[in-house]
């Protein structure tokens, strides 16, 4: 089975712009979670989607949003980018989620905001 | 509020040594604890998942234990190899909201 894929792998944006990141889960997995990783804050949970519904949400501002499609692929959007949004964004998939089972991570999208 | 702490922050050992990485959490109300490794600039690779009802899990040279009552988990790596060099992260799934909370990680360097 193919693993979790994320596109693009690298991205450079300027402050005020918006960005959309994509995540394709392992075939058959219905849950997708998103995380932000920075040197200062470490890995922080953004949100989880299951069956096209957001099931769980971390403590991030409303500029961070996401959605999931019927094929379980997920996108994450960040509007009005700030310098502090520079980070590695990771997505993880699991069969049914709820964070009760092994999560499989993608390679991440590295976002640099200038 | 659940907090996860990993000690030490960094560790350098000679090849062949057995080592223990520590993870502690403040709230014992967890569903499971998972250990991951992360290579520089890469995503996370799951190593071991321990459900809250379990005491330990083993995979090859790795053994992870869980003591919920004391809020501790250890990852034991036997006969370390240079290929084990990576950052090791532990993560707990808290029952309050099913959120995954990560520790800051232990950066391991195994010298050949």
């Amino acid at each position: 089975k193919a693993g979790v894929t994320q596109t693009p792998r690298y991205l450079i944006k300027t402050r005020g712009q918006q960005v959309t990141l994509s995540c394709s889960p392992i075939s058959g997995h219905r849950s997708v979670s998103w995380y932000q990783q920075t040197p200062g804050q470490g890995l922080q949970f953004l949100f989880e989607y299951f069956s096209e519904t957001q099931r769980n949400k971390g403590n991030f501002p409303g500029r961070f949003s996401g959605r999931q499609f019927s094929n379980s692929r997920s996108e994450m959007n960040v509007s009005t980018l700030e310098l502090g949004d520079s980070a590695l964004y990771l997505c993880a998939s699991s069969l049914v989620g709820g964070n009760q089972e092994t999560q499989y991570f993608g390679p991440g999208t590295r976002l640099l905001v200038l | 509020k659940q907090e996860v702490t990993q000690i030490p922050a960094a560790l350098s050992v000679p090849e062949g040594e057995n080592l223990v990485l520590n993870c502690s959490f403040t709230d014992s109300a967890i569903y499971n604890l998972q250990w991951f490794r992360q290579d520089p600039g890469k995503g996370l690779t799951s190593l071991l998942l321990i459900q809250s009802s379990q005491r330990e899990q083993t995979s090859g040279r790795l053994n992870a234990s869980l003591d919920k009552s004391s809020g501790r988990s250890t990852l034991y790596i036997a006969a370390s190899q240079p290929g084990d060099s990576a950052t090791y992260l532990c993560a707990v799934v808290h029952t309050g909201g099913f959120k995954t909370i990560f520790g800051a990680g232990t950066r391991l360097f195994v010298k050949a």
Side-chain angles (χ1 to χ4, degrees), chain A residues 9 35 37 43 45 48 56-59 88 90 98-108 110, chain B residues 31-32 34 36 38 40-46 49 51 89 93 97-104:
Chain A
R9 294 292 312 279
Y35 297 86
Q37 186 175 33
L43 259 161
F45 172 75
E48 182 207 4
N56 230 330
K57 190 176 189 308
N59 299 322
L88 180 66
L90 295 162
N99 292 320
Q100 297 180 59
E101 55 192 348
T102 299
Q103 296 184 65
Y104 297 89
F105 281 77
R110 187 165 296 280
Chain B
Y31 270 110
N32 61 53
Q34 195 164 0
F36 296 89
Q38 185 175 31
K42 304 282 181 64
L44 277 64
T45 301
S46 177
L49 171 70
Q51 301 292 354
L89 295 141
V93 177
F98 292 91
K99 294 178 183 177
T100 302
I101 300 166
F102 280 84

Side-chain angles (χ1 to χ4, degrees), chain A residues 1 24 36:
Chain A
K1 270 186 183 179
S24 293
Q36 181 196 65

